[in-house]
Amino acid sequence: MTDPERYCVAEERSGHCAALDDSCLYVWGGYVTIEENEVYLPNDEIWIYEFDSGLWTMHITDGDMPPSMSGSCGACLNSNLYIFGGYDDKGYSNKLYFMNLQLKSGHYTWKHIKTFKGQPPTARDKLSCWIYKDRLIYFGGYGSRKHNELNDCFDVHDASWEDQLFWGWNNDVHVFDTNTNTWLQPVVKKNAPKARAAHSCAVLGNKGYVFGGRVLHTRMNDLHFINLDTWTWSGGITVNGGKPQGRSWHTLTPVSDDQLFLFGGLSADSVPLSDEWIYSVKTNEWKQFKHLAKDRPRAIVMICSSFRFNPILCLGYAWTPLGKMLQCWKTKYHCYLKNFSNKQ
């Protein structure tokens, strides 16, 4: 393994994974657009932003690595970075990989989880994940299924009758227990949200929230939660007052024990959004946040959730609650601080 490259900055990208562990942010995968072509970024690179030093490092990883992909779902749990699903030139994936992040030598090795119990989700990308009780809980996404895998949790978009392969949106829930390496598909109660992809998820207490996302040409603005102990869906939440417009590729992040922060995304007309909203569980209301900075962040494609710290970090179109807020433009990197303790 080569020495890490220090004092550099992560390359601009879309469709990447960004996940928080302790005082570091880990960025993997995604693609860049070169002359209208999408080029996947190297799968052996892991970028790390250290908040104590304010510096980036890039490490070359080894092991049984995930292929270069976009739309994968990344999450950190118990000092491991997990990568599930995604899309590359060969199609959609339903493989799960992880990498231990606590190696003092700085030597990072990927492992492909090949031995497990249960049945993993079908191949997909643009899904989301809740972390709860040492479990990775996946919802939704767009992907492919074989004819014998079709069910009510799948909204068919296209098909190849010759290959008996179907593409479409999902609204199923799948759980990976990291202690037993077991996949489970809980039997959910009440009506699940419509199938969707490029939506956002966040956890408050034992509730997993879902907002928006895309199906066909529709970008939704509905809000739901599922009880992560009983697997009971809330049904669409009828909020008091106004609410954000429909969108996909946005973020939803807990900023207190009863508030969620919504930012950006793509509108129904595929226009990048930069509006900010706070949802209060206590009042069941959305309140639009006012921007204080003249230059505002743009559309977002990935999120890291935790509310250890009040402010939010924006990294290459990624929000995560941390002590600093870093905005990544194509060639410029700026730091902003948003304090949610102030009324706006």
Side-chain angles (χ1 to χ4, degrees):
M1 187 195 75
T2 60
D3 292 333
E5 296 185 18
R6 296 184 179 275
Y7 315 120
C8 46
V9 178
E11 186 175 5
E12 62 174 271
R13 62 191 66 206
S14 299
H16 55 287
C17 297
L20 169 70
D21 183 71
D22 196 17
S23 60
C24 292
L25 184 74
Y26 296 84
V27 177
W28 178 87
Y31 66 89
V32 294
T33 302
I34 301 177
E35 297 180 354
E36 299 184 357
N37 295 314
E38 294 180 356
V39 179
Y40 294 101
L41 291 165
N43 62 330
D44 62 349
E45 292 183 0
I46 186 75
W47 287 85
I48 304 173
Y49 182 77
E50 299 175 355
F51 292 97
D52 292 339
S53 65
L55 298 175
W56 284 96
T57 57
M58 189 276 284
H59 296 257
I60 299 298
T61 65
D62 57 19
D64 197 349
M65 296 179 286
S68 297
M69 294 186 291
S70 69
S72 302
C73 189
C76 286
L77 175 59
N78 296 331
S79 299
N80 290 314
L81 171 62
Y82 290 88
I83 300 291
F84 176 79
Y87 178 84
D88 63 10
D89 294 333
K90 296 180 180 180
Y92 297 92
S93 169
N94 69 340
K95 296 179 179 180
L96 180 63
Y97 299 82
F98 80 96
M99 181 172 62
N100 188 282
L101 303 174
Q102 278 197 329
L103 303 180
K104 295 181 180 180
S105 64
H107 187 87
Y108 296 101
T109 299
W110 285 103
K111 294 183 180 180
H112 177 198
I113 300 178
K114 300 177 181 179
T115 302
F116 52 82
K117 302 174 184 177
Q119 184 67 34
T122 54
R124 62 191 69 186
D125 71 350
K126 297 187 286 291
L127 66 160
S128 59
C129 176
W130 300 294
I131 298 175
Y132 184 68
K133 292 183 176 179
D134 288 345
R135 297 177 296 178
L136 303 167
I137 306 170
Y138 296 100
F139 172 76
Y142 183 92
S144 58
R145 295 194 183 205
K146 298 177 182 178
H147 186 269
N148 62 358
E149 296 173 323
L150 298 181
N151 57 33
D152 292 339
C153 296
F154 189 67
D155 190 344
V156 176
H157 173 223
D158 201 358
S160 170
W161 294 103
E162 180 179 355
D163 299 326
Q164 290 290 287
L165 194 62
F166 300 80
W167 295 269
W169 288 268
N170 299 274
N171 73 341
D172 46 359
V173 175
H174 292 265
V175 180
F176 183 76
D177 188 319
T178 59
N179 293 322
T180 62
N181 275 18
T182 302
W183 282 106
L184 305 167
Q185 185 175 4
V187 177
V188 300
K189 304 177 183 70
K190 297 188 177 181
N191 294 329
K194 293 180 180 179
R196 64 193 64 204
H199 49 286
S200 59
C201 283
V203 174
L204 287 179
N206 68 341
K207 295 176 181 179
Y209 284 83
V210 178
F211 180 85
R214 177 182 175 182
V215 59
L216 292 173
H217 300 293
T218 301
R219 288 183 168 90
M220 295 169 280
N221 66 343
D222 52 342
L223 180 66
H224 306 253
F225 72 78
I226 186 171
N227 185 305
L228 300 175
D229 291 316
T230 65
W231 306 113
T232 302
W233 281 106
S234 64
I237 299 173
T238 302
V239 300
N240 301 320
K243 57 183 179 180
Q245 64 175 288
R247 63 193 65 204
S248 61
W249 285 125
H250 51 289
T251 71
L252 188 69
T253 308
V255 292
S256 73
D257 57 5
D258 67 347
Q259 289 185 319
L260 298 171
F261 176 69
L262 174 73
F263 179 82
L266 291 176
S267 72
D269 299 321
S270 296
V271 175
L273 300 169
S274 59
D275 52 339
E276 305 173 8
W277 295 75
I278 290 286
Y279 173 72
S280 169
V281 175
K282 183 177 180 180
T283 64
N284 191 29
E285 291 179 328
W286 284 104
K287 181 179 180 181
Q288 188 164 8
F289 225 72
K290 293 182 180 180
H291 289 288
L292 299 181
K294 180 178 179 182
D295 296 325
R296 297 188 287 183
R298 300 293 300 279
I300 299 177
V301 298
M302 202 57 58
I303 185 169
C304 320
S305 297
S306 168
F307 53 90
R308 289 179 54 213
F309 305 97
N310 200 24
I312 298 287
L313 168 80
C314 177
L315 163 70
Y317 306 152
W319 287 93
T320 183
L322 283 168
K324 299 178 182 178
M325 184 168 75
L326 174 69
Q327 178 193 355
C328 165
W329 294 83
K330 287 191 175 182
T331 56
K332 296 181 180 179
Y333 296 79
H334 307 288
C335 288
Y336 299 89
L337 183 67
K338 179 171 288 297
N339 191 335
F340 287 94
S341 63
N342 294 330
K343 295 182 179 180
Q344 296 193 36

